[in-house]
Each structure stands twice: as C-alpha cells, then as structure tokens.
Amino acid sequence: MSDNGHQQNGHENVPSRQRRRFEGISSRTYEHPADRSALVALRKLSGFDTVFKALSGLLPERSLRLLFLSDSVRVSDAQFAHLNTMLRDACHILDLEKVPPMYVAQDPQPNAMCIGLDEPIIVVTTGLVELLDEEEMRAVVGHEVGHALSGHAVYRTILLFLTNLALRVAWIPLGNIAIMAIVTALREWFRKSELSADRAGLLVGQDLRASMRGLMKLAGGNHLHEMNVDAFLEQAEEYEAGGDLRDSVLKILNTLPRTHPFTTVRAAELKKWAESRDYQRIMDGHYPRRTEDKETSVSDSFRQSAATYATDVKNSKDPLMKLVSDIAGGAGDLGGRVRRGFGGFAGGAPKDQTAPNDQTTPEDRTSPKDHPPRDSTPEDDD
C-alpha cells in the first residue's frame, strides 16, 4: 500500500488516502496490446530508424528544458505543492525511481504531455489545472507518469518536431510526403499509447469515477452537473455501432490527423479494462515485474497484440469491422453488402434492389441506355 508519510527523494509524501503500491511493476502490465503492436509496426517503417537516429542527435533538448525553466512554473514544494505531492505519490505507486520534473505552462487549453529524449519532462497547462479537481488531476498525473515509465516521451518528442517540420516543408511535395508517412505512423502509435497511459492513470488514482469525470470534463468542460457518465458512455456505443460503411470511412478520416483517441472512446476503453479480470489481478498484486522484461519475447507480444486485434474486430459493432469479420469468416453476398453500405454516396436505393414484381433480367437492368453514363462522380462527404 502507499504509506502515509513515506519518504520519496528526501521529501515527505502524504497522499490523501491509502492506495496500493505496485513495487517493481513493468509497463507491460498496463500497456494496451495495440500500443505495443503499433510501436513494432512503427519501428519497421522504412526510414524510421534513420530519422530517429538523426533527430536523437539534432533535437535541441537542452533548449527545450531551458524554455520551460524560463517561461513556465516548475512544480515543487514551494510552487503548486499539491501537484508536487501528486507527482511524488504517482511515482511511488508505479515505483518510478527518479521523479521527472513537472512544469505548469500558461495555456487556457486543457492539456498535458510527457516529452524529452534523455529524461522525461511533464508539462500541464493552467487550463487543465483549473478544470479538474484533486482526484481527477491525480489520474492525469498518473497518466503522464505512465508515459514516462513506458518510455513514450522520446517518440512523443519526435512526433511534435516532425509535425512542425511537415508544416514548414509543405511546399516541397516529395519532402512533405516522406515526413507525413512517419508522422501518420507516429500518430497511430500515440493514439494507442494514450489508452495505455489512461490505464496507468487508473492504477495511480485507483478511482474509476474520477477518471471518468476527468474525461467528461475534457469533452464538455466544467459542467458536471449537466453531464452523466452512463449517457456519456452511451455516446461511445452509438459512435461505434451507428451508421453504415460511409460512417466507418469518415471515422477513419476524422481520426487520422489526431494524436489522441476521441474522449468517449477513451472512457469506454478504460471502463472495459477496469471491469476486466486483468485489472483485478493487478490490484490483487499479480502483475509482470521489470526484472522479467528481458525474458519477454517480442514475437510473443506481437502475437498477443494480433490476437487482441482479431478479438476486437470480431466483437466490434462498427459496420466496416463487421464486414472485415465476415470476410474472414467466409460470409456470402459480401459484394451486395458493400454496395448497400455505400449506397447513400450516390443517393437513392442501391442498384441491386428491385421491386418484387420487376420481371426484367439483370442484363436489362444494367443496360447502358437505361443508365446513361454520368459526367461526374458524386463527391465524398467532408
């Protein structure tokens, strides 16, 4: 358990209530399988190793640290003391030996990040500090400490740098395409890493309701009296299951430019994990230790990730994922299902649907004289 009055780096740390401590915990304990598989895929991306090695030597990390030191407020016993207590307690619970420096930056946009190449730095904005209560903020601090323990800060820093670089070289077609390929892969990995960090935040806060409240506030602001957790989770259900194949495609297009998953999706994923047997086993003290990390097979982790993806696709209510599952299962009439799914793009009923008393042959129904060629194609929804 997290002790009242335990010592951490020479400072007394007194958490507001007792929480279980996970001594020697491995980040594998809370990492989402999709996080690990996306990182493996990222490392296999052509040119990534070259870019990674180059940027590791070129990125001005010292300048980054000096920037926060000079233009933000460093959390300590003397400044934002309540955040300092949360940070030390989070590091104690996840057994992170070296407490990373934390800064509060003036920004009305609620946000937090863990960046840095050699050593992680945690930054939270004033908008986030003012939005969340103590227990909600504790989950966020645990979220960022989870990023630090998993080693996510390095890739997050490179993503920020490449995103800015892509904007600067947008006028160079081939240069921009090469950079955006890596940025897209980095974003895909980072969205999955956020699910892992949400789990770490729950392990630190050990209060699912606080984690849910924090996510709701990120979506709807400081109006908890106007919001409801169950209704919020119903939105995630509707988002996943609603619409047709067109909506599935639009979901992908909406997601690609984002670094974070949609908030309702994060809430639903976290709740599902909190109710799982895996989470209960962790809380009972049964979890992987860092001492076992060297013995872990990368191929085994990848197979576990692939199995999780397959299960998610099979159980998904998304129309596109259902179609993928049916293809894998050898279901018939897939062509008709695809046409029906995308029928709304051209407007009207799908072409394979006819009235019951229609006696024409398929050749008659698809005759060029009955369906003259179109001069233009229908436009996709934005």
Side-chain angles (χ1 to χ4, degrees), residues 360-377:
T360 58
T361 65
E363 291 77 7
D364 292 333
R365 289 197 296 270
T366 58
S367 172
K369 66 181 181 180
D370 291 334
H371 298 281
R374 298 170 62 103
D375 294 330
S376 61
T377 58

Side-chain angles (χ1 to χ4, degrees), residues 252-281:
I252 295 173
L253 295 177
N254 287 339
T255 301
L256 283 177
R258 296 175 59 91
T259 56
H260 288 60
F262 293 111
T263 317
T264 57
V265 175
R266 290 173 63 183
E269 281 282 341
L270 186 60
K271 185 173 185 293
K272 181 170 65 175
W273 186 68
E275 295 173 346
S276 69
R277 177 59 182 159
D278 289 340
Y279 176 74
Q280 189 57 55
R281 283 179 55 81

